[in-house]
Every structure is written in C-alpha cells, then in structure tokens.
Amino acid sequence: MKKALILTGGGDCPGLNAVIRAVYKRAKQEPDWELYGSIEAFNGVLSEPRQIIKITSELVAGIHVKGGTILKTTNKGNPLNFPVEKPDGTVVFEDRSDALVEKLKALKFDAIINVGGDGSQRISKALFDKGIPMIGVPKTIDNDLSATDVTFGFQTAVQVATDSFDKLVTTAESHHRVMIMEVMGRDAGWIALHTAIAGGAEICLIPEIPYDIKKILERISQRYSRGKGFVNIVVAEGAHAIGSTTVGEGEKGSEHKRLRGIAYQLSDELKAAGCVAEVRETILGHIQRGGTPTAYDRVLASLFGVKAFELALEGKFGQMVTFRNNQISSVPLEEATREYNYVDKNSYLVKAARGLGISFGD
Ligand code: F6P
C-alpha cells in the first residue's frame, strides 16, 4: 500500500475539515492508497509517542460543515524554529527540521499534504528541499497568500465580520456613537476592506495605509455636522498611525507578536484629540476563525483537497494547490511563498471603496 499523510498547521480556519474529507474521499477511490493524519501539525510526528492516526470513513463523515480541524493545529510548532522551554522558563528556538526529516523518511510516506498558510508553506518548501514528497494546500482567513486568488476561510471570516458590523450599525445609530470594530488582519487588511464595503463603513483602517488621526476626526465631524449622528469604523488588528507601529505584545513560545487592541488605542486617540461623540470598541477576535464554513468555502476547500491528492497521484511534489482565474491549478512551493499578498492601495478595490465614500484615514 502507498501511504499519504495530511496535517493542518498554523491558526485554524473554517474549511480545514472539508479539505481533510476531500483528500480522504479522493484517496479512497485508489485501491492502493491509504491516508494518515498527524495530530497538531508536525508535532504528531516529532512527539514521543508519535501521534499519527489512520483516517477512516467514520472520522470524516459530515466534517465538511464543521469549523476547526479534527487533526488539531498549532502556531507554535514550526520545526524550522521550534520553541523549547529552558529550566529557567526562558524559551529558545531550535531548528528541528533534520530530526523531522529523519522521522518522516523512516515512516516512508509517499506523499505529505500540508494544509497551512505562509509559514506552513515555508516549512513545506524546506522539507521538500530535503527530499520529502510535499504538497501544499493554502489556508488563511487573512487572504495573504499571493499565489492564489483566494483561500477558503476568508469568505467565512468576512461574513462573520459583516454580520457583526451590521449589528453595531443599529446600536451606533440609536446612541449617536462612534463604533470601532477590530477585525483580524496581521499584515494585510483584506477582511477589514471587504467588511467595510459590505457593511457600509464610514472609515476603514488597514495596515497598508497608515492613518492620520486628524483625518479621521475630520471625517467624524463632517458626519455629525451633516446630521448623520453616528459613525462605524472597521480597523484591522495590524493597522497603525503614520509613524507608529502595531499594537500588541509578545507571547511565550510564539515567533510573532500577538496583535490586539488597536480598537482601544484608536478610541483613546480620538478622545484625546477631542472627538465630539461617545466612542465604543468591539474586538471580534477568534469568532472570525470559528464555526461553520460558508458554502463557497466548503466548495473551495473540497476542490483543494481533491486536487492535492491528484498531485500526489501524478507524483507532482513541491507544489501548492492554487485557485487562479477560476481554475484550480498549482505552483511550485518556492513561488507560493515568494510574495506576500498585501492590499494594493492603488487597486480598484480601494478606489471603489473611496468611490463609496469610505475614508482610509489618509
Ligand atoms: O494569521 C491568521 C490570524 O488570524 C491573524 O489575523 C491573527 O493575528 C492571528 O491569526 C491570531 O492567531 P492566534 O490564534 O495565535 O491568536
């Protein structure tokens, strides 16, 4: 029998289970293949005892509608930069990729399907370069991978954010308030931008366009002076004022600063600058990452899963599945991880948002 291994890495995302189910269903049509799953990304391979399970029909039945991942995940398990806690409580990062490669070679998998974002696909590339038959499946609610037009999970996150935004509009209007809603988006403001357009925000703040607090105040004052006594702002967690940095703090064992709190910082800045209205803040957080994927995301995730297994059948390793120009295809992992997908401030999306009267605070 030939053996494929699937794992999910990085932050979870609605649609991961639909990918696992699709890979299993396609693999089942090949009598000489079986599918295994590593628990918590590559930690399942590295840990003693190993945590690798056989994927069965019972395990995947009906999981395409569920959020999260039945294989669990972690964003603190990068084998290229693995966090190790020392006896004094400090954490150091070690390259464990050689140990991982040795273990994977001993396990003799014929294909390894790594479902994950930018960081996970860099791991796929590093392992492929060391001789492991890797295939990548892109995953990010942030839509920050440039090799694919879209990833599953993004649309679900935008829908959750838009539903929440709509609720905040009615309460902003009743109280004549300024409502700030913080959404995810570490380096790219896609969720904020789509939510602002879908929800009809007055102001949208994204990492790619640093804001000027005076411009935001002007916009708020205009709204109130025209008798529209409320304002709804969407801000991406990675947004920041001109000349300042993102708001957040380091977390033990994590390679990244944990972003959180720009909504409160902006609120304080507005109050300090003499904002005429009362301001309230909402941080949406992980609600955007949980729950049932939209039908669109289930479809995309299922297409990605089937394609990933077909790449394995064809022996096309070192590739990441993509969705470009309405076609499911693949690109070399090197291309997949080369560029980050930032919002282009000269793009039609941003121009259209401005055309709708949305201010970016610039
Ligand atoms: O990368 C996806 C993302 O949702 C970012 O937008 C956010 O900064 C991060 O994950 C939060 O991750 P965690 O689960 O570690 O809080």
Side-chain angles (χ1 to χ4, degrees), residues 10-12 75-76 117 139-144 183-188 191 237-238 251 254 256-260 285-286 288-289 340:
D12 71 346
N75 48 16
K76 297 195 184 92
K139 165 251 52 159
T140 153
I141 65 160
D142 291 352
N143 197 34
D144 52 11
V183 296
M184 282 188 170
R186 169 169 287 276
D187 302 296
I191 297 177
E237 62 184 355
E251 195 180 24
S254 175
H256 303 289
K257 173 165 147 185
R258 186 178 173 209
L259 301 185
R260 188 183 41 169
H286 294 76
Q288 296 158 92
R289 285 227 311 244
Y340 197 80

Side-chain angles (χ1 to χ4, degrees), residues 25-97:
K25 283 195 166 270
R26 182 62 188 85
K28 208 173 151 229
Q29 292 175 13
E30 303 299 320
D32 54 340
W33 278 84
E34 48 194 23
L35 182 65
Y36 291 82
S38 172
I39 302 296
E40 222 181 68
F42 281 111
N43 288 349
V45 178
L46 283 167
S47 64
E48 297 291 346
R50 267 196 304 273
Q51 284 192 283
I52 294 178
I53 57 168
K54 187 161 184 208
I55 309 282
T56 61
S57 299
E58 291 71 35
L59 265 183
V60 301
I63 63 169
H64 55 298
V65 302
K66 288 190 190 155
T69 160
I70 60 162
L71 293 175
K72 316 299 177 209
T73 188
T74 177
N75 48 16
K76 297 195 184 92
N78 181 353
L80 306 173
N81 216 10
F82 198 84
V84 180
E85 187 162 355
K86 295 283 165 192
D88 65 357
T90 55
V91 173
V92 292
F93 292 91
E94 287 175 0
D95 183 349
R96 294 222 169 151
S97 56

Side-chain angles (χ1 to χ4, degrees), residues 79 95-103 127 130:
D95 183 349
R96 294 222 169 151
S97 56
D98 285 340
L100 178 61
V101 166
E102 207 175 293
K103 289 189 178 208
L127 296 176
K130 293 185 184 210

Side-chain angles (χ1 to χ4, degrees), residues 228-244:
K228 293 258 188 189
F230 69 102
V231 168
N232 284 84
I233 302 177
V234 186
V235 57
E237 62 184 355
H240 51 88
I242 296 168
S244 95

